[in-house]
């Protein structure tokens, strides 16, 4: 099989799934609205039930819902019949996912899902199935064609199920006015959480080089060399009046100036960029990128507080 043939197979599979998603979009109707309203008005959590590939989809939908403000829990259909039904409370809503709607494990479970919950929502590709019969609301996840070459492996059908789950989550987010700050509460770790919540002072360097405006060349060199940042901050009673980089120092040394008569105020750059220690770290990163600089001065009450380095932020996943 040639490379071109392999690429064409991949493109065909994607085209089939796109076509099925377009068909799904046209089917979104009152039933979807009812499902969203039932979940949104529930006093309990959303229990998602599935088996086989639908179970994997269900777990992903649960993860998305939990991270976007809709408390959810996955219940495996086969485990439910052996004790796990106890997780369902009468205030909970159940969303049962099954492409055929007639899997034996699902069929055996349906009377209990309906009786133990406040409402049963079915997501199925078979509107004449047992799942559809027992459900108060049906989400039609039917597909005309699976993307796999033998048209049997769940491909298009699981894509449609996933898209329906995402649509539910997005609608519920909007209805509950879910914001970035809410999202951050559920993502305190990793780069997502850090970008939404981390403050500048969490990533301060332990080094704080500084000199007075009257410092001589020797003092400037010692200060710059004392840290790994390649800069020193010129201050007067902790008020920032300028900054000197190792580049400024090299340019001065290559000039014809009398080094013995030069002080910090003669070679410093005035009005350097700075940021308050309580600002978001991602705001510091935005300034560093915009100004194409490696370090940023950090302030507290407009006084010199420290330095934040772009490499530290990148290492921590701040983008």
């Amino acid at each position: 099989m040639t490379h071109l043939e392999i690429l064409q197979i991949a493109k065909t599979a994607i085209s089939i799934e796109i076509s099925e998603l377009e068909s799904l979009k046209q089917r979104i109707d009152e039933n979807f609205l009812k499902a969203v309203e039932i979940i949104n008005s529930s006093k309990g959590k959303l229990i998602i039930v599935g088996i086989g590939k639908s179970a994997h989809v269900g777990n992903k939908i649960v993860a998305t819902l939990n991270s976007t403000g809709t408390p959810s829990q996955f219940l495996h259909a086969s485990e439910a019949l052996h004790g796990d039904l106890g997780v369902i409370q009468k205030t909970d809503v159940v969303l049962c996912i099954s492409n055929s709607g007639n899997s034996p494990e699902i069929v055996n479970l349906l009377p209990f899902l309906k009786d133990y919950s406040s409402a049963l929502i079915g997501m199925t590709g078979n509107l004449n199935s047992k799942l559809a019969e027992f459900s108060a609301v049906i989400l039609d996840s039917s597909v005309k064609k699976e993307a796999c070459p033998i048209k049997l492996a769940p491909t298009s059908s699981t894509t449609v199920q996933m898209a329906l789950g995402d649509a539910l989550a997005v609608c519920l987010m909007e209805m509950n006015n879910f914001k970035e700050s809410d999202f951050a509460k559920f993502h305190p770790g990793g780069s997502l959480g850090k970008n939404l919540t981390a403050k500048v002072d969490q990533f301060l360097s332990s080094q704080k080089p500084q000199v007075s405006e009257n410092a001589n060349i020797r003092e400037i060199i010692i200060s710059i060399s004392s840290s790994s940042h390649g800069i020193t901050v010129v201050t007067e009673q902790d008020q920032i009046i300028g900054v000197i980089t190792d580049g400024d120092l090299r340019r001065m040394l290559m000039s014809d100036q009398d080094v013995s008569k030069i002080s910090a105020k003669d070679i410093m750059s005035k009005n350097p960029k700075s940021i308050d220690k309580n600002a978001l770290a991602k705001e510091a990163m935005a300034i560093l990128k915009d100004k194409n600089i490696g370090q940023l001065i950090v302030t507290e009450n407009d006084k010199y507080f420290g330095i934040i380095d772009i490499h530290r932020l990148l290492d921590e996943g701040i983008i």
Side-chain angles (χ1 to χ4, degrees):
M1 186 175 288
T2 68
H3 289 177
L4 284 176
E5 288 173 327
I6 293 171
L7 290 174
Q8 187 54 51
I9 291 170
K11 290 177 181 179
T12 298
I14 293 170
S15 294
I16 290 171
E17 296 199 355
I18 289 172
S19 176
E20 295 295 351
L21 288 172
E22 286 290 346
S23 178
L24 171 67
K25 185 170 71 171
Q26 300 304 317
R27 294 199 304 271
I28 295 293
D29 57 13
E30 293 294 322
N31 285 311
F32 183 86
L33 285 175
K34 289 176 184 176
V36 172
E37 289 167 357
I38 288 171
I39 297 168
N40 190 55
S41 61
S42 170
K43 301 300 182 182
K45 57 190 178 294
L46 177 63
I47 304 290
I48 298 185
V49 178
I51 194 166
K53 301 299 186 295
S54 295
H56 296 297
V57 172
N59 271 303
K60 188 274 176 185
I61 296 173
V62 164
T64 300
L65 289 165
N66 278 328
S67 69
T68 53
T70 302
S72 305
Q73 185 172 348
F74 179 73
L75 174 60
H76 197 280
S78 62
E79 299 298 328
L81 289 169
H82 297 279
D84 285 1
L85 269 172
V87 303
I88 305 176
Q89 302 298 308
K90 195 57 184 175
T91 53
D92 297 337
V93 173
V94 171
L95 169 60
C96 187
I97 306 173
S98 172
N99 188 40
S100 72
N102 287 321
S103 299
E105 298 88 349
I106 296 293
V107 172
N108 291 335
L109 195 57
L110 289 173
F112 306 105
L113 297 180
K114 184 174 182 179
D115 290 344
Y116 293 1
S117 66
S118 62
L120 173 60
I121 300 169
M123 183 188 294
T124 181
N126 182 0
L127 301 185
N128 296 311
S129 63
K130 280 291 183 181
L131 174 56
E133 179 185 330
F134 273 81
S135 299
V137 178
I138 306 167
L139 297 176
D140 182 0
S141 61
S142 60
V143 296
K144 293 179 180 178
K145 185 189 295 186
E146 296 287 7
C148 87
I150 59 174
K151 311 306 176 191
L152 294 175
T155 44
S156 302
S157 56
T158 50
T159 298
V160 166
Q161 290 172 350
M162 196 85 74
L164 266 173
D166 287 341
L168 286 171
V170 170
C171 289
L172 291 164
M173 285 176 70
E174 292 284 358
M175 291 173 74
N176 292 298
N177 198 29
F178 194 86
K179 302 296 185 184
E180 267 196 8
S181 56
D182 300 308
F183 191 80
K185 289 190 297 184
F186 304 126
H187 297 77
S191 60
L192 276 176
K194 288 179 182 177
N195 277 280
L196 290 168
T197 63
K199 301 291 183 67
V200 166
D201 65 357
Q202 292 178 233
F203 307 109
L204 275 181
S205 167
S206 59
Q207 302 160 339
K208 188 183 175 183
Q210 66 187 110
V211 294
S212 70
E213 62 177 342
N214 295 317
N216 58 37
I217 291 300
R218 182 174 181 277
E219 292 170 321
I220 295 169
I221 292 173
I222 290 173
S223 181
I224 290 177
S225 302
S226 70
S227 78
S228 59
H229 302 302
I231 67 169
T232 188
V233 180
V234 183
T235 61
E236 183 178 357
Q237 295 181 343
D238 277 340
Q239 293 291 334
I240 301 165
I241 58 176
V243 66
I244 301 172
T245 68
D246 51 8
D248 295 329
L249 193 59
R250 285 195 299 271
R251 284 186 289 274
M252 183 277 300
L253 292 172
M254 292 175 67
S255 70
D256 296 329
Q257 300 178 68
D258 184 353
V259 173
S260 65
K261 296 181 179 179
I262 292 177
S263 61
K265 63 184 176 183
D266 299 319
I267 57 173
M268 70 181 185
S269 298
K270 296 180 179 179
N271 303 314
K273 284 292 175 183
S274 64
I275 191 166
D276 187 83
K277 70 167 191 167
N278 293 314
L280 289 176
K282 70 175 183 177
E283 295 174 17
M285 178 58 86
I287 296 172
L288 289 164
K289 288 180 177 178
D290 182 57
K291 300 302 178 182
N292 195 27
I293 54 179
Q295 297 80 30
L296 189 61
I297 298 170
V298 179
T299 61
E300 181 183 38
N301 298 323
D302 295 324
K303 292 187 176 182
Y304 180 39
F305 188 73
I307 289 175
I308 191 167
D309 189 280
I310 191 170
H311 298 295
R312 172 72 189 282
L313 294 178
L314 288 171
D315 287 345
E316 295 288 347
I318 305 298
I319 57 175

